[in-house]
Amino acid sequence: MGWKIELLHLGKMRCHKSRMIWTENRETTIEIPVVGVLLRHPEYGTVVYDTGLPDNWQNCLPEGLQASFPVTEQIPMAEALAKKGLSPEQVDMLILSHLHFDHAGGLRHFAGTQAGKAVIISDTELAN
């Protein structure tokens, strides 16, 4: 028995399509999903890759960022984990792809947990 991999639906945002892919129409907007990945392994434990948006994104993100990437749906990490039968305390490790608000914003759900003490991110990302 190996890894079991599941997506965590953490919300949606809108942005100009040209921020995601090349397009001639730079005014077209698209809705993009905000996701995390739940990895379960009988030996290595439960790992979450990316934590989604901060719960209080309206209060902590600059207005310009909110205008460029308006959040249209936000699902807190604890709620997404509960749908999978888990709580933040049951996660063993976190991996963050990078430190953008829609990938690392849900870190606070893991404060004081084992996973909160076991966060993996590249040294290059931390240096920037």
Side-chain angles (χ1 to χ4, degrees):
M1 183 173 169
W3 289 98
K4 181 179 179 186
I5 302 170
E6 301 174 76
L7 285 181
L8 295 169
H9 176 66
L10 300 171
K12 297 177 189 174
M13 300 184 310
R14 290 204 68 75
C15 71
H16 283 100
K17 188 175 183 179
S18 61
R19 290 191 178 259
M20 297 293 129
I21 61 172
W22 184 88
T23 181
E24 289 185 18
N25 184 347
R26 300 188 55 80
E27 297 307 311
T28 301
T29 62
I30 59 173
E31 192 163 64
I32 56 174
V34 177
V35 297
V37 179
L38 176 63
L39 305 138
R40 301 187 210 206
H41 192 277
E43 183 180 340
Y44 300 113
T46 303
V47 179
V48 168
Y49 181 90
D50 283 350
T51 63
L53 299 158
D55 293 352
N56 62 341
W57 61 268
Q58 303 96 325
N59 300 323
C60 67
L61 298 179
E63 287 182 23
L65 193 56
Q66 289 185 46
S68 296
F69 294 93
V71 175
T72 58
E73 178 185 25
Q74 194 270 332
I75 299 169
M77 175 55 76
E79 183 179 323
L81 285 172
K83 290 178 183 177
K84 304 292 184 179
L86 294 170
S87 70
E89 292 76 23
Q90 293 172 295
V91 175
D92 299 301
M93 182 187 310
L94 298 173
I95 301 172
L96 298 178
S97 61
H98 58 287
L99 296 175
H100 287 174
F101 75 98
D102 56 327
H103 293 265
L107 271 174
R108 73 161 200 82
H109 289 275
F110 299 95
T113 69
Q114 171 59 36
K117 298 173 189 169
V119 180
I120 297 174
I121 189 161
S122 77
D123 288 338
T124 304
E125 184 66 22
L126 288 174
N128 290 327

